Amino acid sequence: MTDGDWRPKIIAIICNWCSYAGADLAGGARIQYPPDVRAIRVMCTGRVDPLFIMKAFQDGADGVLVSGCHFGDCHYLEGNYKCAKRMFLVKNVLKNIGINDKRLRMTFVSASEGAKWGMVMEDVVKTVKELGPSPLTERKN
Amino acid sequence: MAENQEPRIGVFICHCGTNIAGSLDVNAVMEYARSLPNVVVADEYQYMCSTPGQNKIIDAEKDYDLTGVVVAACSPRLHEPTFRTATAEGGLNKFRFEMANIRDQNSWVHMHDWEGATEKAKDQVRIAVAKARLLEDLQPKSVPVEHAAMVVGAGVGGMQAALDLANAGIKTYLVEKDPTIGGRMSQLDKTFPTLDCSQCILTPKMVDAGRHPNIILETYTEVENVEGYIGNFDITLRKKARGTRDGAEMVAAGLEGSGCNGCGDCASVCPVIKPNPFEMGMAPRKAIYIYHPQVMPLQYTIDFDACVKCGLCKDICGTEKNAIDLEMTDSLEKVKVGCVILATGYDLIPIEDKTEWGYRRYENVITGLEFERLICASGPTGGHLIRPSDGETPMKVGFVLCAGSRDNTGGVGKPYCSRFCCMYSLKHAHQIMEKIPGAVPYLFYMDIRSFGKMYEEFYYRIQNEGAKFIRGRVAAIEEDPITKNLYVQTEDTLLGRPVNVECNLVVLAAAIQPKPDAERIRQMFGVSKSQDGWYLEAHPKLNPCGTTTAGIFLAGVCQGPKDIPDTVAQAEGAASAASIPIHQGEVQLEPYFAQCVEDLCAGCGMCVPQCPYGALSLIQKDDRQVMTVTEAKCKGCGTCGGFCPGGAIRMQHFTSPQICAQIDSFLLNPLGGEE
């Protein structure tokens, strides 16, 4: 399977205040990026339960992105710190069950960083494409 | 929806003119939506946000007995309120609405990938429908709004906002970290293009603000801590030790004496001399000081970093006034306000870091603000423009525009236009031609941006008066060590040749940047910043005074460079916006607060420290411990819900089943979403 005909399934859970606004700004600026990521909006990355990520991989996601505010900028003071801590945990779990932890990414994109959102999208898609389909989907099929 | 009723979802796809329909197949998305389980109607329209578009939602709710509405259009950050209102008008609870962002996060970012964008839009609709199936009626929580406001920063913008709020009958705290209100504008000599004396138009406003019965001036005061939310901000102020007390403070402290009346006897005996920052360091002040004669309040302040506590001031102040307290310390004060307006202003960038222009290295290179003080009749030279090196009157003055503005080279410069430097440089050029017969101003410019009412006319006027305009960015300034004259080197891009102009004085129209403490204040109030550090408005076109934090508004340059008229206009807008919830007396908050499902709660208490607001606590219920949520404190971030090991915390509108349904529906076609 070549890069050209396989499109990864990537889910992004992003916070309402920074990353979602940054993604909107990328739209306003007409920054083009690959259409392989589907965003789910939560109020804060603090809401991201590690089980959501495990569920996404179980369902066959090839990559998961969690994106929130920069440290110190959280609309809810410290939800992003707490999310980041959990992401370390989830990465460890992923490694232990044989999923490359690069499939999970946490980024920090502020409401003013439309261009950065575009770069994150490019990079996440590129990383996941290099890794290929998730081993869980292969096993399932 | 009744417990066992099957969800009935209506899906509406917006063309947004060609914004969406030009980049993806709206009809295909609509047909796809029709194939989804529980979708009973799918429709499309040119502009869903228009009245006919909204009517489609309202009618469909009735015709199809909908339980949920999905609109695939722009960003919920723009139009969620619009469609929620329509959803409510159709008879459903407004939280039974879900939006798929197929414009900002699809058609606009995949403009050249018709198929990719169409497939993505289908997925986005499917994800939205998955959530819409599980949405439930929610009741917004209504909280009372404190009938008081706070304005942080008392420059012309802050003062205007405070006056407007106060005149609307709202008690307003005007917080200023300096000992006097007035801000940058009080440092200016004249204002363009009318050439009004800045102090003459500002001082009456300062007096109005100082005397207004509804304004509580909190000068020499900083915001220490912010808690709460719209309607109920609990703000701690740090009243810095001023070293003196006015009459009211004497009474409050139960002390004998009339307090500081601004006589200035203390300053006359103070032995410590420091540079006066109001005069840009070009005039002295004592350790006990006022910035300038028109300060408001007229009360002396001790700079305790400089004070040697010799007590001379205290002796001369005498027992009758007894105003001076050399042992005074900072005190904290707590106030409660409904809304806050930030108006923290700007600083010049450290233009000395642009070493090629020699500021601070060559005595005769000054900044625009220093020029203002030098040309001002009440400034350090009594209005005589002299050059710092030898006190001579400069006959050839170079003005370097865009000094650090519109500079993409990285490092010191700023990519943005500082917006008022062209105009004040034109004004400066006029002032030297007016004050010094025969003097010639040379304006080194990239563009002249005379964007305001009567500004272009002012530009023509200065041209006609004889100012010399040289188009080109100044590459270097070098000093003749003997004459202290300056050679301004640039390329005249209109003539296409290098020029080297000898000037007696050079004025840098330095770029501006946010105040050093703007970052701290922004974080305390939970306001975003744009890339350059200016406070970020909620929407650049539709909500330029608001922020994404409810109840926090912006006025003046803290939001981005602007001149006095624009600052005042925005301040009036911000005051108007802030007065709305205050006058309504209550606000509705989105009911996204956490709930504890007590049957699942093990009472482990691990969630309690997760909450940054202290909204969670453990209580004894029957024979066991369970968590309880104080709704008024909960802001709905969900940090507890993302952590609860037992899944006992239910985040309303972002429940785990709803989020899992969204994940499942994307990855497992067509709709997942088991509990």
Side-chain angles (χ1 to χ4, degrees):
Chain A
M1 188 176 294
T2 60
D3 270 3
D5 48 17
W6 175 68
R7 306 216 83 149
K9 286 194 158 199
I10 302 169
I11 202 143
I13 310 181
I14 62 180
C15 87
N16 180 57
W17 303 103
C18 290
S19 291
Y20 199 92
D24 279 351
L25 188 66
R30 310 296 193 277
I31 290 164
Q32 304 295 303
Y33 55 78
D36 300 314
V37 179
R38 307 287 179 267
I40 291 178
R41 182 170 68 123
V42 290
M43 296 311 279
C44 178
T45 49
R47 175 71 188 99
V48 179
D49 190 323
L51 293 177
F52 297 161
I53 293 158
M54 302 313 288
K55 178 153 195 59
F57 281 115
Q58 189 188 10
D59 285 357
D62 299 303
V64 175
L65 170 72
V66 175
S67 191
C69 309
H70 289 278
F71 288 141
D73 272 3
C74 177
H75 193 77
Y76 304 100
L77 308 177
E78 49 196 47
N80 52 357
Y81 288 95
K82 285 171 177 154
C83 180
K85 277 187 180 177
R86 289 172 206 163
M87 291 310 111
F88 282 116
L89 174 84
V90 181
K91 274 177 167 281
N92 269 328
V93 174
L94 290 178
K95 265 190 263 184
N96 279 310
I97 60 174
I99 296 175
N100 192 322
D101 67 341
K102 281 188 189 162
R103 292 187 188 275
L104 170 63
R105 173 91 72 97
M106 180 161 193
T107 59
F108 306 95
V109 177
S110 82
S112 61
E113 293 176 329
K116 184 173 174 189
W117 179 255
M119 279 157 55
V120 166
M121 290 295 98
E122 295 274 0
D123 201 51
V124 165
V125 172
K126 181 168 161 270
T127 307
V128 175
K129 274 193 168 174
E130 278 168 10
L131 292 168
S134 158
L136 294 181
T137 46
E138 283 180 333
R139 218 162 294 162
K140 224 188 274 177
N141 296 340
Chain B
M1 147 175 78
E3 278 298 306
N4 46 12
Q5 191 191 336
E6 268 290 294
R8 297 173 62 81
I9 310 293
V11 179
F12 304 87
I13 326 273
C14 182
H15 294 230
C16 197
T18 57
N19 280 299
I20 292 169
S23 300
L24 56 85
D25 188 341
V26 167
N27 280 319
V29 177
M30 180 181 68
E31 289 304 326
Y32 176 76
R34 284 184 178 146
S35 73
L36 291 170
N38 298 119
V39 171
V40 292
V41 56
D43 204 350
E44 43 74 39
Y45 191 65
Q46 201 77 12
Y47 293 102
M48 276 307 294
C49 56
S50 67
T51 307
Q54 293 187 52
N55 283 341
K56 276 184 184 285
I57 298 172
I58 296 166
D59 295 343
E61 277 182 48
K62 292 167 185 155
D63 296 347
Y64 294 91
D65 192 22
L66 298 183
T67 64
V69 173
V70 168
V71 173
C74 50
S75 170
R77 293 171 55 84
L78 184 67
H79 270 321
E80 191 173 61
T82 312
F83 294 123
R84 276 187 173 168
T85 306
T87 303
E89 263 187 65
L92 275 179
N93 181 282
K94 71 173 182 177
F95 292 96
R96 287 182 174 270
F97 166 75
E98 180 67 14
M99 204 154 175
N101 186 342
I102 62 166
R103 189 187 75 174
D104 302 45
Q105 295 186 19
N106 187 340
S107 66
W108 276 353
V109 288
H110 315 304
M111 292 174 90
H112 315 297
D113 186 353
W114 180 269
E115 262 173 46
T118 306
E119 285 311 302
K120 178 170 172 176
K122 288 177 183 173
D123 285 352
Q124 287 177 306
V125 167
R126 192 171 71 241
I127 292 169
V129 169
K131 180 163 182 186
R133 296 162 79 219
L134 300 176
L135 289 175
E136 52 200 358
D137 290 358
L138 299 177
Q139 299 311 323
K141 52 178 173 180
S142 182
V143 293
V145 177
E146 190 73 21
H147 200 82
M150 178 177 287
V151 179
V152 182
V156 64
M159 285 195 295
Q160 182 66 47
L163 281 166
D164 285 355
L165 287 165
N167 285 332
I170 296 162
K171 178 171 151 188
T172 304
Y173 297 89
L174 181 53
V175 179
E176 169 57 52
K177 69 173 176 10
D178 281 339
T180 174
I181 61 174
R184 285 281 176 221
M185 187 178 163
S186 59
Q187 288 180 285
L188 308 181
D189 178 42
K190 291 204 163 117
T191 58
F192 58 79
T194 47
L195 300 170
D196 296 307
C197 155
S198 182
Q199 279 283 14
C200 310
I201 52 177
L202 188 72
T203 313
K205 221 178 242 310
M206 290 164 64
V207 175
D208 286 350
R211 284 196 187 143
H212 203 292
N214 284 340
I215 293 182
I216 299 151
L217 271 194
E218 301 276 14
T219 50
Y220 212 47
T221 299
E222 287 180 2
V223 178
E224 177 84 2
N225 188 37
V226 181
E227 281 173 22
Y229 47 91
I230 181 171
N232 301 275
F233 291 106
D234 290 301
I235 299 175
T236 310
L237 298 175
R238 172 176 291 274
K239 296 170 84 82
K240 294 186 278 185
R242 188 166 206 144
T244 65
R245 291 190 176 89
D246 66 9
E249 287 165 337
M250 295 300 284
V251 175
L255 293 170
E256 294 287 320
S258 60
C260 182
N261 61 7
C263 68
D265 290 347
C266 50
S268 66
V269 297
C270 178
V272 182
I273 294 176
K274 299 281 286 178
N276 185 350
F278 180 83
E279 302 290 359
M280 303 308 288
M282 294 184 295
R285 77 166 198 217
K286 297 298 184 64
I288 185 162
Y289 67 96
I290 53 172
Y291 277 155
H292 59 87
Q294 292 95 359
V295 293
M296 171 60 68
L298 179 53
Q299 182 183 351
Y300 276 74
T301 304
I302 297 176
D303 175 356
F304 277 110
D305 289 336
C307 175
V308 294
K309 300 208 176 176
C310 63
L312 287 173
C313 54
K314 195 171 167 59
D315 295 342
I316 203 162
C317 187
T319 50
E320 207 168 289
K321 282 175 279 184
N322 191 25
I324 294 170
D325 178 358
L326 291 170
E327 303 308 317
M328 193 183 271
T329 50
D330 292 2
S331 62
L332 298 178
E333 184 191 4
K334 279 201 163 195
V335 298
K336 196 176 179 79
V337 297
C339 291
V340 177
I341 295 174
L342 302 181
T344 52
Y346 68 95
D347 264 342
L348 300 185
I349 65 165
I351 194 67
E352 61 272 26
D353 293 351
K354 277 269 180 194
T355 49
E356 64 269 32
W357 294 331
Y359 179 66
R360 291 219 195 282
R361 194 150 48 87
Y362 306 142
E363 286 175 88
N364 293 331
V365 177
I366 63 173
T367 64
L369 264 178
E370 287 166 346
F371 183 92
E372 293 286 346
R373 297 316 302 152
L374 283 177
I375 200 89
C376 180
S378 63
T381 57
H384 299 288
L385 182 67
I386 54 167
R387 58 187 212 151
S389 67
D390 51 15
E392 290 294 314
T393 303
M395 297 305 289
K396 293 169 84 175
V397 183
F399 292 93
V400 177
L401 278 63
C402 292
S405 304
R406 307 173 67 210
D407 178 347
N408 285 311
T409 52
V412 191
K414 302 288 178 186
Y416 49 82
C417 167
S418 293
R419 229 169 150 250
F420 48 66
C421 347
C422 284
M423 291 306 296
Y424 77 58
S425 296
L426 291 171
K427 178 194 71 177
H428 290 169
H430 167 81
Q431 283 176 300
I432 63 165
M433 289 188 287
E434 185 183 63
K435 283 213 170 178
I436 308 169
V440 185
Y442 292 87
L443 287 96
F444 300 92
Y445 72 104
M446 300 214 288
D447 286 320
I448 294 287
R449 297 193 166 173
S450 50
F451 56 91
K453 190 174 182 181
M454 299 303 288
Y455 289 10
E456 189 70 7
E457 293 86 334
F458 188 70
Y459 175 24
Y460 293 145
R461 175 178 166 186
I462 309 308
Q463 282 178 320
N464 291 334
E465 284 174 353
K468 308 272 186 238
F469 290 80
I470 298 163
R471 187 170 147 234
R473 186 193 279 281
V474 172
I477 296 173
E478 274 173 20
E479 185 189 60
D480 179 334
I482 297 162
T483 62
K484 301 281 178 185
N485 283 348
L486 300 153
Y487 291 94
V488 182
Q489 296 158 22
T490 184
E491 182 196 354
D492 186 326
T493 55
L494 294 178
L495 296 176
R497 66 173 186 224
V499 289
N500 192 355
V501 182
E502 184 179 7
C503 294
N504 309 124
L505 180 73
V506 166
V507 183
L508 303 177
I512 58 171
Q513 66 181 17
K515 285 264 183 192
D517 55 349
E519 178 68 15
R520 189 180 68 90
I521 291 180
R522 179 185 76 72
Q523 290 190 354
M524 272 193 292
F525 284 100
V527 171
S528 303
K529 63 177 172 184
S530 56
Q531 231 149 7
D532 306 306
W534 304 111
Y535 296 168
L536 194 64
E537 64 284 352
H539 191 282
K541 303 280 184 293
L542 303 177
N543 196 352
C545 300
T547 68
T548 48
T549 303
I552 312 282
F553 302 89
L554 305 176
V557 182
C558 67
Q559 184 253 340
K562 50 181 79 65
D563 59 359
I564 295 166
D566 287 2
T567 293
V568 172
Q570 195 192 18
E572 298 201 295
S576 159
S579 69
I580 293 169
I582 291 175
H583 281 312
Q584 283 176 335
E586 61 169 31
V587 282
Q588 290 200 333
L589 300 184
E590 286 174 337
Y592 299 161
F593 51 89
Q595 292 173 326
C596 178
V597 183
E598 288 177 2
D599 287 348
L600 294 175
C601 179
C604 68
M606 288 169 79
C607 53
V608 175
Q610 291 286 312
C611 178
Y613 304 104
L616 312 183
S617 52
L618 288 177
I619 53 162
Q620 202 66 27
K621 201 155 192 183
D622 301 327
D623 54 347
R624 66 192 186 107
Q625 278 198 321
V626 288
M627 187 272 275
T628 185
V629 182
T630 308
E631 284 174 12
K633 284 188 181 172
C634 176
K635 304 250 191 350
C637 62
T639 305
C640 55
F643 187 75
C644 176
I649 298 176
R650 203 167 170 284
M651 284 312 305
Q652 299 190 82
H653 209 66
F654 294 91
T655 66
S656 296
Q658 285 166 2
I659 293 173
C660 288
Q662 289 176 287
I663 296 171
D664 289 348
S665 70
F666 167 45
L667 297 160
L668 312 166
N669 295 346
L671 287 181
E674 74 273 31
E675 286 292 310

